[in-house]
Amino acid sequence: MQMPHQTILIVDDSPENLTVLSELLHPLYQVRASTSGEKALRIAGSAPPPDLILLDVMMPGMDGYQVFERLRADSATRDIPVIFLTAMDSTEAEMHGLEAGAVDYITKPIVPPIVLARVHTQLELKQARDWLRDQNTYLEAEIAKRMAENELIQEVAIRALAHLAETRDPET
């Protein structure tokens, strides 16, 4: 069995829910857990950042939506995908979570195969987005390098033509 390399942060005020989700995900992923929004923000902002956050909506103190807003406001955590976990199973609650920017919404009680499938899908999507971002960064650097080379070639060509013109006619 390979060592888990992707990290999932589970945020839930219920230790029982943390235990269930940790036991479900731990064989496949590295799992970190938090029982409060404040602690979750500290964990998410520390290195290495999690690859995915499973975030309970209803928590005392800072609720899941407030945690989510703070994650999005911080450039270090802005791109971490978040799946909301909640006992609220109304369509309005789900739409609110998705409109806020969550990548998915899972209602409790959880169905383990569905949670595993959705987590796997979101982690694959994150890997693809990260790969594309890295490719774009590489291509932008390559374009800048080639543009600098073109400008240098253009400068050399202009100087060579000027030198050639001066050689044929010193008064030009």
Side-chain angles (χ1 to χ4, degrees):
M1 186 171 134
Q2 68 181 19
M3 280 298 293
H5 62 283
Q6 292 173 306
T7 303
I8 298 173
L9 171 59
I10 304 168
V11 186
D12 198 311
D13 60 316
S14 163
E16 298 82 22
N17 289 341
L18 287 176
T19 300
V20 168
L21 285 164
S22 292
E23 288 176 358
L24 174 66
L25 297 168
H26 187 68
L28 302 169
Y29 309 103
Q30 184 174 0
V31 176
R32 299 178 80 184
S34 171
T35 54
S36 73
E38 293 82 4
K39 183 178 176 191
L41 290 169
R42 283 195 303 275
I43 293 171
S46 65
D51 296 296
L52 177 68
I53 299 173
L54 299 179
L55 180 58
D56 185 20
V57 172
M58 296 185 297
M59 295 187 294
M62 188 184 300
D63 73 14
Y65 295 121
Q66 292 169 319
V67 173
F68 185 76
E69 286 175 16
R70 298 260 307 269
L71 288 167
R72 289 299 172 261
D74 185 345
S75 62
T77 58
R78 179 177 298 138
D79 296 329
I80 301 171
V82 173
I83 296 176
F84 279 126
L85 288 173
T86 185
M88 299 185 300
D89 62 352
S90 71
T91 303
E92 292 80 20
E94 184 172 355
M95 286 174 49
H96 182 260
L98 295 172
E99 286 172 358
V103 295
D104 208 343
Y105 190 95
I106 299 173
T107 56
K108 299 176 192 174
I110 65 162
V111 179
I114 290 175
V115 171
L116 287 173
R118 290 183 174 182
V119 163
H120 177 75
T121 298
Q122 292 305 325
L123 288 171
E124 278 190 338
L125 285 170
K126 182 180 184 304
Q127 273 187 321
R129 281 192 305 270
D130 290 349
W131 182 84
L132 284 172
R133 185 193 62 236
D134 292 346
Q135 286 299 306
N136 283 342
T137 302
Y138 167 76
L139 289 173
E140 287 170 1
E142 193 64 26
I143 287 170
K145 180 179 147 192
R146 300 269 171 101
M147 291 298 294
E149 288 173 358
N150 284 345
E151 288 174 7
L152 181 63
I153 291 169
Q154 184 179 13
E155 180 73 23
V156 168
I158 289 170
R159 288 184 185 273
L161 286 173
H163 182 71
L164 181 63
E166 285 177 357
T167 306
R168 292 188 174 194
D169 182 4
E171 294 175 11
T172 300

